Amino acid sequence: MSDNLELETLALHTGIHRSQFNEHSEALYLTSSFVFDNAAQAAARFSGAEPGNIYSRFTNPTVTAFEERLAALEGAEACVATSSGMSAILACVMGLLSAGDHVIASRSLFGATVNLFNNILKRFNIETTFVSATDIAAWEAAVKPGTKLLFVETPSNPLTEISDITALAAIAKKNGAWLAVDNCFCSPALQRPLDLGADLVIHSATKYLEGQGRVLGGAILGNRDLVMEQGVFGFLRTAGPSLSPFNAWVILKGMETLKIRMETHSANAVQIARWLEAQPNVARVHYPGLPSHPQYELARRQQKTGGGIVSFELKDGKEAAWRVVDSVRMISITANLGDTKSTLTHPATTTHARISQESRDLAGITDGLLRIAVGLEAAKDIEADLARGLTA
């Protein structure tokens, strides 16, 4: 597929390898294994001397189609698909790092990511230093001789802080480390971290890539040597946090509408953010598309739009926040995001409940904070649903 095609065209046509039946839609290969013509071919496939499918834990045509399509959208040489976004982060770290290595991570991360770095990986002697997502000097100061990976979400979850990818990439390169960017909130429709100097891109394909809240999936992308040869694919092949062919097929179909969905999510989100800023019970709105956002100008340089996630703080804390949650009738009360339907969550007691109060305080996750993943409903209907709890 030509590199000159636009993203919306690549999302429709990349990764299609028609079978002998010449089907128009991508085929779904629900098989655990693949048959070889003879013993020599089996040996060649297993050794890597001959390309081809072996076993669906690590080779499957439908999963390959997903990997090829996402790689084309992100401008990456290679992609490894996984069973979820968290398994993508795990595969990245376990495939590339060793005991004694050091990670620098933003303290503004999804709660499960914090727990992975701070608790599980720590047991394997992989140390993590958490720093401000936006303080470049703090990242520079945190570098140690054993620093191998810089990890950041931008925009961050849930405060939509924007990290300077180009500046972090420069720090990583200068110190012989890799920069991995979780691009879940933007998707390649709004931001391409590899173009800005990142070495790796991480996705929870569960979110905007799939787009309708149906299945789980994840991915790691980067250059072929790093993703395929230096351990990420090897970890997947051995440990098996694999993306199922069915889930890959569902995500493939979701990706066809990625660009037009992200445009509508973003248009709705900026309208909701502006409306929230005018509400007397709202203390602060966090949205990269608002001039009031601290990294507004950086977001304009890095992203095509502000995205679909808006966080806002209520003046009266947890009681007021829960009142909004309990008052909605149309918006779904769930921690997932990236769905066509709007979702609302209280991060301090859900997505970030398992991290310490100190960590939440450092990340700015207050008891009055709510996160809305703005869906594709009419913006005025989303406003009316939120208004029930804001004006009660």
Side-chain angles (χ1 to χ4, degrees):
M1 194 64 61
S2 171
D3 292 336
N4 296 323
L5 296 176
E6 297 295 327
L7 182 139
E8 56 266 45
T9 306
L10 293 171
L12 288 165
H13 293 280
T14 307
I16 295 178
H17 303 282
R18 295 188 173 96
S19 73
Q20 71 270 29
F21 301 109
N22 212 27
E23 65 278 353
H24 184 236
S25 182
E26 297 87 346
L28 171 54
Y29 291 92
L30 291 177
T31 181
S32 59
S33 62
F34 300 86
V35 177
F36 311 111
D37 294 339
N38 48 54
Q41 185 185 63
R45 291 275 180 90
F46 270 84
S47 70
E50 176 184 306
N53 297 294
I54 299 171
Y55 189 58
S56 282
R57 186 177 70 240
F58 58 99
T59 51
N60 177 279
T62 310
V63 176
T64 298
F66 163 74
E67 292 170 334
E68 290 178 356
R69 183 167 297 177
L70 185 54
L73 299 189
E74 283 285 6
E77 290 181 3
C79 173
V80 171
T82 64
S83 57
S84 68
M86 287 308 304
S87 66
I89 299 172
L90 177 66
C92 177
V93 174
M94 298 301 285
L96 295 176
L97 302 187
S98 302
D101 287 344
H102 176 242
V103 178
I104 307 172
S106 164
R107 64 170 61 105
S108 301
L109 296 174
F110 176 53
T113 309
V114 174
N115 280 326
L116 175 65
F117 282 117
N118 212 24
N119 298 327
I120 295 174
L121 296 179
K122 189 175 183 179
R123 295 184 356 231
F124 296 90
N125 196 28
I126 296 175
E127 178 191 359
T128 302
T129 300
F130 293 95
V131 298
S132 165
T134 60
D135 186 351
I136 298 301
W139 289 81
E140 185 81 68
V143 173
K144 299 180 178 181
T147 300
K148 292 292 182 64
L149 180 70
L150 279 61
F151 188 94
V152 66
E153 291 175 5
T154 181
S156 70
N157 186 0
L159 292 181
T160 71
E161 293 175 297
I162 307 297
S163 300
D164 190 329
I165 296 174
T166 300
L168 292 179
I171 293 172
K173 184 175 182 180
K174 183 173 72 173
N175 292 281
W178 299 299
L179 172 63
V181 176
D182 187 324
N183 200 27
C184 172
F185 271 26
C186 276
S187 85
L190 303 185
Q191 175 176 268
R192 301 216 312 180
L194 298 176
D195 291 347
L196 298 170
D199 300 289
L200 296 155
V201 175
I202 306 290
H203 274 287
S204 173
T206 312
K207 310 302 192 295
Y208 287 114
L209 295 181
E210 193 280 314
Q212 296 184 57
R214 297 172 292 190
V215 299
L216 301 182
I220 310 103
L221 300 100
N223 69 48
R224 186 167 302 279
D225 178 64
L226 189 58
V227 173
M228 301 302 295
E229 306 300 333
Q230 291 197 42
V232 177
F233 176 73
F235 176 80
L236 176 97
R237 178 171 182 166
T238 302
S242 313
L243 180 63
S244 77
F246 178 79
N247 287 14
W249 182 80
V250 173
I251 299 167
L252 270 167
K253 304 314 291 180
M255 288 165 65
E256 292 182 348
T257 60
L258 178 64
K259 184 174 186 290
I260 58 175
R261 283 189 288 105
M262 293 309 297
E263 289 172 348
T264 304
H265 282 300
S266 299
N268 277 353
V270 72
Q271 181 172 329
I272 298 302
R274 289 168 180 158
W275 176 80
L276 284 167
E277 278 199 317
Q279 303 308 303
N281 294 335
V282 174
R284 185 178 179 187
V285 178
H286 305 269
Y287 183 66
L290 291 178
S292 58
H293 192 283
Q295 294 90 45
Y296 173 69
E297 292 299 332
L298 176 59
R300 291 183 68 188
R301 295 196 301 271
Q302 280 190 179
Q303 302 172 199
K304 291 184 178 179
T305 70
I309 307 298
V310 180
S311 292
F312 58 102
E313 297 179 48
L314 281 300
K315 290 180 179 178
D316 295 328
K318 178 181 174 181
E319 182 179 351
W322 277 28
R323 184 167 60 246
V324 173
V325 173
D326 292 345
S327 297
V328 297
R329 298 174 190 171
M330 178 190 72
I331 298 169
S332 302
I333 305 169
T334 180
N336 194 34
L337 61 94
D339 202 313
T340 52
K341 304 176 185 70
S342 293
T343 67
L344 183 66
T345 191
H346 182 247
T349 54
T350 58
T351 57
H352 291 72
R354 292 190 298 146
I355 66 175
S356 68
Q357 182 66 54
E358 180 184 8
S359 295
R360 287 199 297 273
D361 291 343
L362 287 170
I365 301 170
T366 66
D367 286 345
L369 182 73
L370 292 175
R371 187 199 72 195
I372 178 169
V374 180
L376 305 184
E377 305 94 345
K380 67 177 183 179
D381 293 331
I382 301 171
E383 292 172 4
D385 208 26
L386 291 171
R388 292 188 177 96
L390 287 173
T391 58

